[in-house]
Amino acid sequence: VASTAPTQEEAPASSSGGNGSIVAAAYAGLGNPYSYGGTSPSSGWDCSGFINWAYNQAGVSLPRTTYGMMASMRQVSSPSPGDIVIQNGGSHAAIYVGNGQLIGANNPEQGTKMYSADSPYWSTTMYLSAN
C-alpha cells in the first residue's frame, strides 16, 4: 500500500484519455520505496521499474529500461501528462503529470516523489510520448 504525505496533491482529473490512467497510477505510486532494479510498490522500484508499473496499471507494456524506452518510443518536443521524461542522458526517467511536475522513483533516501521538471539535480534529455 502506498503511503501518502500530508502535503500530497490529489491526482488531477484528466481529459487525456488513456494517459489519465498513467497519471493516476503515478500518483498512486507516491511514497513507495526506491530499490535499484526493483519493480514492485511493496518491495520498491527504480525509476524505470516505477514507470513500467504505472504504465502496466494503464494496460500499456514498455521496455524495462530507460534506454529501451528511448529506443522504442516516439520522441516529442514537449510533454503531455502521462509522457515519460528522460533525464541525465537516460540514467533517470519520470512521468510527467502536468503543471511542470514529474513523479519518479529518485533514490533510496527520497523514494517515489513529485518534483519540478526544472529541478537542478536532473537535466532533461528528451520527452517520450505515451501515445
Side-chain angles (χ1 to χ4, degrees), residues 51-65:
I51 291 169
N52 267 269
W53 175 85
Y55 270 65
N56 283 334
Q57 302 310 299
V60 179
S61 179
L62 292 178
R64 170 62 181 92
T65 67

Side-chain angles (χ1 to χ4, degrees), residues 1-5 8 25-34 40-42 44-45 50 53 103-114:
V1 175
S3 62
T4 56
Q8 177 180 327
Y27 274 93
L30 282 168
N32 284 297
Y34 178 95
S40 76
S42 58
W45 44 40
F50 163 67
W53 175 85
I103 296 177
N106 286 359
N107 58 49
E109 291 79 33
Q110 296 179 343
T112 308
K113 63 179 271 178
M114 187 182 320

Side-chain angles (χ1 to χ4, degrees), residues 31-122:
N32 284 297
Y34 178 95
S35 176
Y36 182 77
T39 59
S40 76
S42 58
S43 59
W45 44 40
D46 60 14
C47 65
S48 58
F50 163 67
I51 291 169
N52 267 269
W53 175 85
Y55 270 65
N56 283 334
Q57 302 310 299
V60 179
S61 179
L62 292 178
R64 170 62 181 92
T65 67
T66 56
Y67 297 104
M69 292 172 200
M70 291 165 62
S72 67
M73 295 179 73
R74 182 172 58 93
Q75 187 173 343
V76 294
S77 60
S78 63
S80 295
D83 286 351
I84 298 170
V85 177
I86 300 291
Q87 298 179 300
N88 291 15
S91 65
H92 182 69
I95 297 173
Y96 183 74
V97 296
N99 298 321
Q101 298 295 301
L102 305 173
I103 296 177
N106 286 359
N107 58 49
E109 291 79 33
Q110 296 179 343
T112 308
K113 63 179 271 178
M114 187 182 320
Y115 61 97
S116 172
D118 295 331
S119 168
Y121 184 77
W122 304 110

